Amino acid sequence: MTSETQVVIVGAGPVGLVTALALARSGIDVVVLEALRELPREQRGAAFHPPTLEMLEPFGITDDLLPLGLRIPVWQIRDKEEGVVAEFDLGMLAGETRYPYRFHLPQHHLAADVLARLEREPRAAVVFGASVEEVKQDGERVEVRYADADGRFETIAARWVVGCDGARSAVRKSSGIDYEGFTWPERFLVTNVDEDLAGEGFAETSYVADPDKWAVILRLADPRVGNLWRIAMPSDPDLPEEAVLAEDYAQDMLRDVLGRERNCKLVYQSTYRVHQRVASSFRNGRVLLAGDAAHINNPIGGFGLNGGVHDAINLSEKLAAVCTGADCALLDLYDRQRRHVAVENVQRQSIRNKRLMQERDPGVRRQNIDELRTVVRDPELARSYLRDSSMISSVAQAAAIR
Ligand SMILES: Cc1cc2nc3c(=O)[nH]c(=O)nc-3n(C[C@H](O)[C@H](O)[C@H](O)COP(=O)(O)OP(=O)(O)OC[C@H]3O[C@@H](n4cnc5c(N)ncnc54)[C@H](O)[C@@H]3O)c2cc1C
């Protein structure tokens, strides 16, 4: 049997859920299909930038989340040999944003908050255990075929489908949209440690540059509650997964990266592959893409989750207008705006950040360090650097595209 709605969203990650909430609040009927049986709680994005907090504010989400996480105005770029190279203070942007800080909170808190709100929306339904296999469209509608929690195949028809189904997006593949880019050779090793790294001089967001053992360090827990920190590092591309996941390997890396003699209290570790890819289009007829389904990048800079939420807000405004009579060419503007910044801002900056972290040439490293020190000393250059790194520039640039 085929059921019908206005918009089907595939994937109940943070991007799909925010898109669904924004559409439902605009009076659009929306069904979210999620392959898992419940929301995942895995360790992924944990850093929110100022524009993301502004976009989530009208839904009441930002006020819900702020008491749960950490506000981090000051962050550092370090060199493993030289120590602190540059310290940036987002307080310099206090006149430009209501949230002049990075906000650290694991992303599953965002997803859980939005899901609770969706459950109270009469126009929204979230179906768990619904694994989408295929989308097929004609000029009028899209049919979405999925396997339900009992393995039975069902079809739902909609005027529009939004693929928010992550990097391996079945919606993107089924719509014949390429995912252009490359994959870095090394896996990233992600650890959580219970240590007082603030006492060792690390800012609550610290990037440590080194040709072999660079690291991204984020404080996850409120100091009043505990000392949980996330440390992401590269692993040797020639080692098998089991060797990278061995505790000794993580401890060796951590001692080196943190410059300490003793082991860390390791409470979590995992590895993942890192890609730089952007879909060749964010729209194919009645099918749209957002979040990791549309673009993916390395986590240095914290752009993935944030960029996905920016897609969700941009797209839901336009799609709600189209559903209530606006010209569907508005959806091409979504593609132009968000794809442009995915390529020009997020890909460019995240690739540059990774190269900065791992630079091998001593001359180029010295030049990078000198340039960063020049930026920090000049308030105008520092403000501009902060606007780019906190995604304020990318949101403004997208809005300027017509
Ligand atoms: C270790 C790590 C650290 C990160 N750190 C940061 C950070 O600090 N800041 C930041 O901004 N970003 C970060 N990111 C990136 C961030 O986690 C992602 O960009 C974000 O999760 C994307 O959200 P999404 O909703 O687009 O996709 P996802 O979160 O991947 O959600 C996709 C959903 O779709 C579902 N799905 C998949 N296929 C189907 C199907 N066929 N049918 C139905 N449902 C399906 C999945 O089960 C999943 O629930 C990090 C990522 C990793 C891995």
Side-chain angles (χ1 to χ4, degrees), residues 264-328:
C264 285
K265 194 165 162 203
L266 187 63
V267 293
Y268 170 85
Q269 72 196 99
S270 69
T271 66
Y272 68 104
R273 283 233 169 264
V274 185
H275 316 271
Q276 303 284 160
R277 293 183 189 275
V278 179
S280 52
S281 173
F282 288 10
R283 177 182 180 204
N284 178 359
R286 295 188 165 273
V287 174
L288 297 132
L289 299 176
D292 278 14
H295 46 78
I296 191 160
N297 51 271
N298 78 68
I300 307 172
F303 302 131
L305 166 68
N306 287 276
V309 173
H310 303 177
D311 294 346
I313 298 300
N314 184 314
L315 174 59
S316 52
E317 280 172 13
K318 294 180 171 70
L319 189 51
V322 169
C323 287
T324 48
D327 190 327
C328 54

Side-chain angles (χ1 to χ4, degrees), residues 9 23 32 40 80 149 160 206 211 229 252 286 288 335 368 387 393:
I9 290 173
L23 286 169
V32 182
K80 193 147 78 67
W160 301 94
S206 300
W229 294 69
D252 284 351
R286 295 188 165 273
L288 297 132
D335 170 66
N368 290 340
R387 281 186 206 108
S393 306

